[in-house]
Amino acid sequence: NVSLRRLQFLFVLVISYILCFSELSFVTEPSDRMVSHNDHVVMDCLAQGEPPVDIRWKKNGVRLLESDHVRFMPNGSLHLSFVRRDGEQSEEGFYQCLASNKYGAILSQRARLTISSISSFVAQPSPVVVSEGSVARFACSVNARPPAIITWEVNQRALPLVTERITVLSNGVLQIHEVKPEDAGMYRCVATNIANRLKSREAMLTVNPVSGVRPLMKPQIIAGPQNISTSLHQTAVLECVADGNPRPLVSWSRADSKPIDVFGARVLGNGNLIISVVKAQHRGVYLCRATTPRTRNYTIAAANLTVLVPPSLVEKPESQTRPRAGTARFSCQAEGVPAPHITWLKNGEIIHSNGRIKMYNSKLVITQIIPEDDAIYQCQAENSEGLVLCMARLIVVMSEDRPSAPRNIRAETISSSAILLAWERPQYNAEKVIAYSVHYMKAEGLNNEEYQAVIGNDTTSHIVDDLEPACSYTFYIVAYMPMGASRMSEQVSQHTLEDVPLRPPELSLSSHSPTDILVSWQPLPVKLSRGRVSAYRLSFRTAADDQVSSLELPGVGENSTQHLLQGLQPDTIYLLRLAVSTRMGWSQPSAWSSHRTPKASSATVLPAPNVELEPFNCTSITVRWHPASSDAVVQGYKLSCYPDGQSESLTIQLRPQDYQHTIAGLDPRRKYHVKVLAYSSHGDGYEARQIVSTPGCPSAPNRRLATLPAPDHVHAQVNSSSAVGLSWGRPAFSSGKSVGYSVRYGPVAPYNASAIRYLQTAEQTVLVQELKSNTRYEFSVRLHMDQMSSPWSSPVYQRTLLEAPSSPPLAVRVTLIEEDTALVSWRQPLQPNLAVTHYTILYASQRAWLAGEWQVLQREGSNTMALLERLEAGNVYLVKISASNQAGDGPFSSMVELPVLKGKSHQGKNPRHTYSQAETTAFTNGLYHFDEKSMTGIVIGVCIALACIIICIFILITKSKITGRVSSEVMHNCLPPGNQHQAENAEVVVPMMGNNFIDTKGGSALMINCTGPVSSSQHKTRKWNIFNSVVMRGCFYEVGKTVLQYEEKQAVLPLQPSSLQILFRPLGESESSQTSEGSRETGDSGNFSNDDVETSSPDTCQQSFVGEDGRSSPGDFVREKYAGVTQRGGDI
């Protein structure tokens, strides 16, 4: 019994010992905490394992040390006596505890410590002017932790929510439907959380009454849904505000036709979709549709909902026991949105790749294991939503009497593809060595594949061949015995030599005109170039002439793989060939390729298509082409293929919708010429000609590999605005030989053969970089093995992410249109594929600018104008603008100064002055300083006017001495020429006048009309009768307008000079913008309505504006026009 109890005790002890070291784990891990400023914090951490277990803490990945307010408690918890929010000493950040014992160390989950705060408003409500019965909308947002609750006040009192007309969304939006006059007032939002309570600035809601019946109006989406990303289990708000008469009905659907989750979603207000608890299946594109009741008139806006999911492990690493010099492989797979990033840890520290340790995708491979590799390894999967860890242990088994490492390793380059290795036997236990293992890999780059060659113990040298030319390799050697392996020898590096290229690339020939030939080729792969290509030699001649012309072209550069031969003879056969060189010399030139230049013709000739060739197998070729842009209609294509050295025989005619054809029945290992051209009613177009070689067919034992299957499960995942990650699966075939892959990619539209790029890799994943932002790309993958290639896989498509604006808005101009109101206009930044969601306008007086107090306006991306109101006279205002989109905010433009003078009224006076970033007329101390050209024009104009006045006085004096004459000569149109040097963007106003003139310079009372002088003895009242007959009412001409018209009208009252009105118009507004009420504009989704576009004919001459007599003013006109633009900014 005693012995039995002892055996039981020993068994339990052994089991406990095994469980202790294999289950070092956490019982309690730290969790996220939200605290207030100066609060104390305790973060718990408890681990179990074979004692002693030591616990340390890290903050943001750096070891945390104890201090006056940082204490490590005996149970492993972390105590912070107080927390600070700002400065370098802030306690905010990510905390982890590290538990360790004799077997290794493990890192805990990450906990975020956040100190509650609420900062200034990101967006504040802006003034709104609406008509009675329409929709008013205010928006407000603030940065706060935790998220702030936003409420609204009107006239500094809580906004009553008793009516269904008012809707408040959790994202800070206030909607008021069917606006009434009593809704007018000052609105502001109030943001509240546990840290503070902030109030925004007030914004005026102005309600304009509608006289009579409200006119019919098609449905318009004033504020459509925005693309949003929402964390799992949070609330998603998709806003949709529509207006129209009659009131439109708002409905929601999914673009993929799946039903909307009716249990987790609800409609708030008059069309806002609220998803209370977001789940993974809620992701997708949602469509908001506003429809006029009982009609087919509708508009649609779309938005994408992305559900962010924290990472989860679908494959966990397993613990392993391996002998010394063996290989261990750990695998870890995770999923989440966005895709998690996998990191490997060893005893809580990040692992970096080296010669023995490699990380392929999500796998960790450790070769030539040494005792130091005995540790605990963790797989860490992380994305923006969180982090998850899983552990596994590697146990290294040791053996006695192991040999020492091989000594004195030497490497010598033999050729461009071979290196000789030599070494000495181990110093100890050399007689027990049974074999040597030679390991080598490329020295340049990361995660290169390591190769291994095993040789017998009867030699101490080995030639490593089949290496790539002009490449550096690293070598080391391991000695083996029956019980294990030695340590690694010291590493040596050696560089292979360059060599003459094996052969030149195949040529592709095409013509764009009767006198040119475009010669292009693909870059040679490294195995064929055998070094860096330094130059190309292009030789050409006519078929009837033996004189050869040669050109040497650079081997590197932007256009190093094509050349355009010009000045050739039309309808002539040319022979061309190419040679390539490295530093070691020139390759043999290629065979002559023939190409006939087109005939000279005055008719429209179709351009040559862009052709791609690839061998499908040893007896078939696949031809693909893309038509070039042309105004002519393509009726079909002609394709011909013939062996090298033979004449063209058979031509295949294809349909105009065909862009691919497979040519079968070819001979293996033979070169073929392929020609493709398009034809139309005008005849054949320019041809594209390429050369391709069919591969050799495999031998009988390997016949099953004659056609390699293409890679499957190709998947593209966007990483950033310039990178896309590509992954695929290896086809299921039994061969265990090493394989390689080629990746082909390029933009989808517009198609450009020169934009197609290729990548080579031995892995099943690659990161394609240096792409254009917001561009849709096409990706295909093919497999290579034993000089055989598979077809290209089915293409996959992916669009790169938006890029934040990198430049400010252009042509910023500020125009003072009233005493306290200015109009600011701008143009979108010059950046390819840029999408702007909104603009931010900052303006402030010089005193406020010095105090850092800016006023903020935001306008939607479709607007390029804004009104600056309530400006104070006597100040100089500074204005700057930036553009923003979902990717971020762009830089601000240069500041533009706007002087607001005291006592200056702009109503009924000459047009306002415009201030921009490049003013030709400077404004200093209240005075305008004209440039030299402007002053010269003014002087010339004054001189001409004085000359006219002198001539008129001389004629009047002469006429007064001659009495009794009934008629006299009348001088017409003595107008001085205007200044020809107008400032940029200034508006020119020219009144159209009749043929009646009066001397307004004073002096003589003589009047002249079209029939002659009028007697001076007439009464003054009769003097004005020449204006009572016919009045020419003018239409003012503006720069950029093409319509100039006027009409005659019988005058009732005398026309005073002050009644000539000046037409004000916002900068950059064209004639069509006055009548865009019926036009359809795009919203945030970029979709268009199916409604018919309505336009109205503008009549600029029938606008009436008056100045100080109480009626409408130019400023009111601008304000009304601009309010219309901003109200329709989100229409679809």
Side-chain angles (χ1 to χ4, degrees):
N1 293 334
V2 175
S3 61
L4 181 59
R5 289 180 180 178
R6 288 180 179 178
L7 288 175
Q8 291 176 347
F9 175 78
L10 291 174
F11 179 78
V12 172
L13 183 62
V14 171
I15 294 300
S16 300
Y17 178 82
I18 295 174
L19 291 178
C20 282
F21 78 76
S22 63
E23 293 187 0
L24 175 61
S25 60
F26 288 103
V27 178
T28 303
E29 296 183 74
S31 57
D32 294 345
R33 298 289 302 275
M34 175 75 69
V35 296
S36 299
H37 186 66
N38 286 330
D39 283 356
H40 73 89
V41 179
V42 175
M43 289 191 172
D44 296 325
C45 181
L46 180 61
Q48 65 180 4
E50 182 179 348
V53 177
D54 184 43
I55 293 182
R56 294 287 183 266
W57 284 86
K58 288 186 175 184
K59 176 188 175 185
N60 297 330
V62 180
R63 183 174 177 179
L64 189 64
L65 301 177
E66 285 191 289
S67 62
D68 294 339
H69 71 289
V70 178
R71 289 285 183 267
F72 300 151
M73 303 180 69
N75 63 353
S77 299
L78 173 66
H79 179 263
L80 304 177
S81 57
F82 61 88
V83 293
R84 295 160 294 189
R85 180 171 55 237
D86 302 320
E88 297 180 357
Q89 302 299 324
S90 173
E91 276 67 40
E92 281 190 311
F94 295 95
Y95 290 81
Q96 291 173 288
C97 61
L98 180 70
S100 60
N101 61 8
K102 60 182 293 186
Y103 300 107
I106 56 175
L107 198 62
S108 73
Q109 296 284 350
R110 193 172 61 186
R112 182 175 183 177
L113 176 61
T114 306
I115 303 175
S116 61
S117 64
I118 184 168
S119 60
S120 59
F121 284 93
V122 176
Q124 301 199 47
S126 302
V128 177
V129 178
V130 297
S131 300
E132 184 179 354
S134 60
V135 180
R137 178 182 179 273
F138 293 98
C140 175
S141 63
V142 64
N143 285 329
R145 293 175 296 184
I149 298 175
I150 294 180
T151 58
W152 289 86
E153 294 181 351
V154 55
N155 298 325
Q156 300 184 0
R157 293 184 179 180
L159 178 65
L161 303 178
V162 294
T163 174
E164 295 181 355
R165 296 187 302 107
I166 299 177
T167 303
V168 177
L169 304 181
S170 58
N171 61 355
V173 172
L174 170 64
Q175 303 169 355
I176 305 176
H177 294 265
E178 299 178 1
V179 176
K180 299 180 179 180
E182 54 266 26
D183 295 328
M186 303 295 293
Y187 286 78
R188 69 180 179 186
C189 66
V190 180
T192 308
N193 70 355
I194 60 175
N196 203 347
R197 185 169 184 262
L198 289 182
K199 296 182 179 180
S200 71
R201 67 164 178 260
E202 293 184 326
M204 170 67 77
L205 172 60
T206 304
V207 181
N208 294 330
V210 177
S211 58
V213 180
R214 187 183 177 192
L216 296 177
M217 185 173 65
K218 292 184 178 180
Q220 299 177 351
I221 296 181
I222 299 174
Q226 303 293 318
N227 295 334
I228 59 174
S229 298
T230 306
S231 299
L232 201 64
H233 308 310
Q234 299 298 314
T235 300
V237 178
L238 295 173
E239 181 186 8
C240 189
V241 181
D243 192 15
N245 188 25
R247 180 178 173 181
L249 301 176
V250 177
S251 59
W252 286 90
S253 62
R254 288 176 59 110
D256 55 8
S257 301
K258 293 182 180 179
I260 296 179
D261 183 9
V262 295
F263 298 101
R266 60 190 176 92
V267 175
L268 181 63
N270 292 311
N272 307 290
L273 182 63
I274 310 297
I275 304 177
S276 302
V277 181
V278 172
K279 300 178 182 179
Q281 61 265 27
H282 288 141
R283 65 174 177 266
V285 177
Y286 289 78
L287 304 177
C288 166
R289 174 169 173 162
T291 308
T292 302
R294 296 181 298 278
T295 69
R296 295 184 179 180
N297 294 330
Y298 67 90
T299 58
I300 292 179
N304 183 53
L305 172 61
T306 302
V307 180
L308 304 178
V309 181
S312 60
L313 294 176
V314 295
E315 182 181 357
K316 300 179 181 180
E318 297 180 353
S319 298
Q320 303 179 24
T321 300
R322 292 290 183 269
R324 181 172 180 169
T327 300
R329 292 179 174 85
F330 296 98
S331 182
C332 180
Q333 297 285 344
E335 61 182 14
V337 180
H341 173 68
I342 302 294
T343 305
W344 287 93
L345 308 176
K346 175 185 176 182
N347 290 335
E349 301 294 335
I350 296 177
I351 300 175
H352 299 283
S353 295
N354 56 39
R356 296 186 309 106
I357 301 176
K358 299 294 180 184
M359 283 169 283
Y360 301 103
N361 194 10
S362 60
K363 294 182 179 180
L364 173 66
V365 180
I366 306 174
T367 59
Q368 291 301 310
I369 293 175
I370 59 176
E372 288 77 11
D373 295 329
D374 192 317
I376 299 177
Y377 294 84
Q378 287 180 286
C379 167
Q380 174 180 288
E382 179 182 9
N383 65 6
S384 60
E385 295 302 293
L387 176 147
V388 63
L389 293 132
C390 187
M391 58 170 279
R393 182 169 176 210
L394 174 60
I395 303 173
V396 180
V397 178
M398 307 295 292
S399 61
E400 300 296 334
D401 298 329
R402 289 175 291 108
S404 57
R407 300 174 295 160
N408 299 330
I409 311 299
R410 301 176 303 278
E412 181 181 351
T413 301
I414 299 177
S415 67
S416 61
S417 61
I419 292 178
L420 171 63
L421 284 179
W423 63 92
E424 295 181 5
R425 295 180 181 275
Q427 185 175 2
Y428 304 106
N429 297 325
E431 68 281 358
K432 297 182 179 181
V433 174
I434 60 174
Y436 293 98
S437 176
V438 177
H439 301 259
Y440 59 98
M441 61 183 296
K442 287 184 179 180
E444 293 91 357
L446 298 175
N447 291 334
N448 292 320
E449 186 174 356
E450 183 177 279
Y451 300 92
Q452 180 179 356
V454 179
I455 59 177
N457 63 351
D458 57 346
T459 182
T460 57
S461 64
H462 179 70
I463 295 178
V464 182
D465 56 4
D466 198 24
L467 302 178
E468 294 184 8
C471 188
S472 181
Y473 286 85
T474 300
F475 304 87
Y476 68 89
I477 303 173
V478 176
Y480 283 87
M481 59 175 289
M483 297 301 296
S486 69
R487 286 189 175 91
M488 297 167 44
S489 69
E490 60 183 3
Q491 294 187 359
V492 294
S493 296
Q494 191 66 19
H495 201 277
T496 55
L497 299 176
E498 287 192 356
D499 206 343
V500 176
L502 283 177
R503 62 174 178 83
E506 302 290 355
L507 295 182
S508 173
L509 307 175
S510 61
S511 292
H512 295 86
S513 72
T515 59
D516 66 33
I517 297 177
L518 177 63
V519 186
S520 59
W521 57 91
Q522 292 294 335
L524 280 177
V526 176
K527 288 187 177 181
L528 295 180
S529 65
R530 302 201 291 187
R532 182 180 180 184
V533 175
S534 57
Y536 295 97
R537 180 183 293 158
L538 177 63
S539 304
F540 63 97
R541 66 180 177 89
T542 63
D545 191 0
D546 293 335
Q547 183 178 359
V548 178
S549 301
S550 297
L551 298 172
E552 284 201 10
L553 308 173
V556 293
E558 184 177 356
N559 295 318
S560 61
T561 57
Q562 65 179 14
H563 183 75
L564 181 64
L565 293 174
Q566 296 177 308
L568 305 180
Q569 302 175 15
D571 194 20
T572 304
I573 297 177
Y574 280 86
L575 303 179
L576 304 97
R577 69 182 182 184
L578 188 69
V580 61
S581 75
T582 62
R583 292 187 301 175
M584 304 303 294
W586 289 91
S587 69
Q588 291 294 326
S590 63
W592 289 105
S593 299
S594 63
H595 181 81
R596 180 186 291 272
T597 54
K599 297 180 181 180
S601 174
S602 59
T604 303
V605 181
L606 290 171
N610 301 306
V611 179
E612 296 179 7
L613 301 179
E614 61 174 295
F616 184 73
N617 52 35
C618 62
T619 60
S620 302
I621 296 175
T622 300
V623 185
R624 295 186 179 92
W625 62 91
H626 299 272
S629 58
S630 175
D631 295 334
V633 178
V634 176
Q635 294 182 345
Y637 294 94
K638 295 181 180 180
L639 184 149
S640 62
C641 177
Y642 56 93
D644 187 32
Q646 298 183 13
S647 60
E648 182 178 342
S649 57
L650 180 63
T651 299
I652 304 172
Q653 288 197 0
L654 302 172
R655 298 174 301 175
Q657 60 268 27
D658 292 336
Y659 301 113
Q660 177 177 329
H661 184 76
T662 300
I663 304 173
L666 307 179
D667 297 332
R669 298 186 182 274
R670 192 164 186 181
K671 185 179 295 184
Y672 286 87
H673 296 256
V674 178
K675 184 182 73 173
V676 181
L677 59 87
Y679 64 89
S680 65
S681 58
H682 300 288
D684 292 347
Y686 298 144
E687 66 181 35
R689 186 186 300 268
Q690 285 193 21
I691 301 175
V692 64
S693 297
T694 55
C697 293
S699 57
N702 296 327
R703 178 66 65 179
R704 57 189 176 86
L705 295 178
T707 304
L708 293 177
D712 53 9
H713 299 94
V714 181
H715 177 68
Q717 177 67 41
V718 62
N719 284 35
S720 65
S721 60
S722 62
V724 171
L726 204 64
S727 61
W728 57 90
R730 174 171 172 166
F733 56 91
S734 58
S735 175
K737 295 182 180 181
S738 60
V739 297
Y741 300 91
S742 295
V743 177
R744 180 182 66 189
Y745 65 98
V748 175
Y751 180 81
N752 184 4
S754 62
I756 296 178
R757 297 291 182 266
Y758 296 86
L759 291 177
Q760 306 292 331
T761 181
E763 305 300 324
Q764 292 174 230
T765 179
V766 69
L767 183 64
V768 183
Q769 298 178 317
E770 299 181 359
L771 303 178
K772 296 181 180 180
S773 64
N774 196 26
T775 302
R776 193 165 183 252
Y777 280 84
E778 175 184 303
F779 301 86
S780 295
V781 185
R782 72 186 306 182
L783 171 68
H784 307 282
M785 187 182 73
D786 285 344
Q787 298 183 353
M788 297 174 56
S789 299
S790 74
W792 290 103
S793 66
S794 299
V796 295
Y797 301 90
Q798 186 60 265
R799 180 179 293 276
T800 52
L801 297 178
L802 273 174
E803 186 178 16
S806 59
S807 60
L810 303 176
V812 178
R813 291 182 172 87
V814 186
T815 304
L816 194 64
I817 59 176
E818 290 184 357
E819 291 182 351
D820 62 343
T821 304
L823 178 69
V824 56
S825 63
W826 61 90
R827 295 204 308 266
Q828 180 173 306
L830 285 179
Q831 187 173 341
N833 301 326
L834 178 64
V836 178
T837 58
H838 67 275
Y839 293 94
T840 302
I841 304 103
L842 300 184
Y843 67 99
S845 63
Q846 287 185 340
R847 288 175 293 180
W849 171 68
L850 293 175
E853 298 176 356
W854 290 93
Q855 299 189 56
V856 183
L857 288 179
Q858 284 198 339
R859 291 293 180 265
E860 294 181 352
S862 58
N863 288 346
T864 56
M865 292 186 298
L867 283 178
L868 309 182
E869 299 177 306
R870 301 179 182 176
L871 304 180
E872 298 179 3
N875 287 330
V876 176
Y877 282 82
L878 306 176
V879 183
K880 59 181 181 179
I881 306 175
S882 73
S884 304
N885 58 20
Q886 293 92 338
D889 302 326
F892 279 92
S893 64
S894 301
M895 289 190 294
V896 178
E897 295 186 2
L898 173 66
V900 181
L901 305 181
K902 294 183 178 180
K904 293 288 184 179
S905 176
H906 295 268
Q907 299 185 9
K909 296 190 180 204
N910 202 28
R912 69 276 181 188
H913 189 70
T914 300
Y915 300 86
S916 66
Q917 293 171 303
E919 282 283 341
T920 57
T921 303
F923 183 90
T924 308
N925 298 327
L927 299 175
Y928 289 97
H929 301 280
F930 297 91
D931 57 15
E932 183 178 356
K933 293 182 179 180
S934 300
M935 186 58 68
T936 302
I938 293 174
V939 172
I940 294 174
V942 171
C943 292
I944 294 175
L946 291 175
C948 292
I949 293 174
I950 293 173
I951 293 174
C952 291
I953 294 175
F954 177 78
I955 293 175
L956 291 175
I957 294 175
T958 304
K959 297 297 182 181
S960 63
K961 296 179 180 180
I962 302 175
T963 59
R965 292 184 62 176
V966 180
S967 62
S968 65
E969 188 173 353
V970 180
M971 179 176 58
H972 294 280
N973 299 329
C974 202
L975 293 177
N979 182 10
Q980 301 298 323
H981 304 281
Q982 297 291 343
E984 183 182 0
N985 292 331
E987 299 174 358
V988 181
V989 181
V990 181
M992 304 300 299
M993 300 184 65
N995 293 325
N996 301 318
F997 295 88
I998 180 171
D999 182 7
T1000 62
K1001 301 298 182 179
S1004 174
L1006 176 66
M1007 296 186 61
I1008 303 172
N1009 63 14
C1010 295
T1011 60
V1014 181
S1015 175
S1016 61
S1017 62
Q1018 294 175 348
H1019 294 289
K1020 182 176 181 179
T1021 57
R1022 191 171 179 179
K1023 173 180 178 179
W1024 292 96
N1025 286 341
I1026 61 174
F1027 292 96
N1028 292 337
S1029 58
V1030 177
V1031 177
M1032 308 295 295
R1033 192 159 68 89
C1035 174
F1036 296 90
Y1037 168 77
E1038 298 187 23
V1039 173
K1041 286 191 176 297
T1042 58
V1043 178
L1044 184 63
Q1045 56 186 359
Y1046 64 93
E1047 59 183 0
E1048 295 186 356
K1049 180 179 178 182
Q1050 295 297 328
V1052 180
L1053 298 175
L1055 179 62
Q1056 299 297 333
S1058 61
S1059 65
L1060 295 176
Q1061 301 301 324
I1062 308 299
L1063 177 62
F1064 283 81
R1065 192 182 300 275
L1067 282 175
E1069 181 175 349
S1070 64
E1071 190 171 353
S1072 62
S1073 67
Q1074 302 179 28
T1075 59
S1076 61
E1077 190 68 62
S1079 64
R1080 312 298 301 181
E1081 298 179 17
T1082 59
D1084 296 330
S1085 65
N1087 296 329
F1088 285 86
S1089 170
N1090 294 333
D1091 297 336
D1092 295 333
V1093 178
E1094 298 178 359
T1095 58
S1096 58
S1097 302
D1099 188 359
T1100 309
C1101 300
Q1102 294 179 3
Q1103 299 282 358
S1104 63
F1105 304 92
V1106 296
E1108 301 173 355
D1109 56 355
R1111 286 176 286 178
S1112 58
S1113 65
D1116 296 332
F1117 173 71
V1118 173
R1119 194 189 314 275
E1120 293 172 3
K1121 293 296 291 181
Y1122 181 72
V1125 173
T1126 56
Q1127 183 177 357
R1128 298 191 305 271
D1131 293 357
I1132 292 182

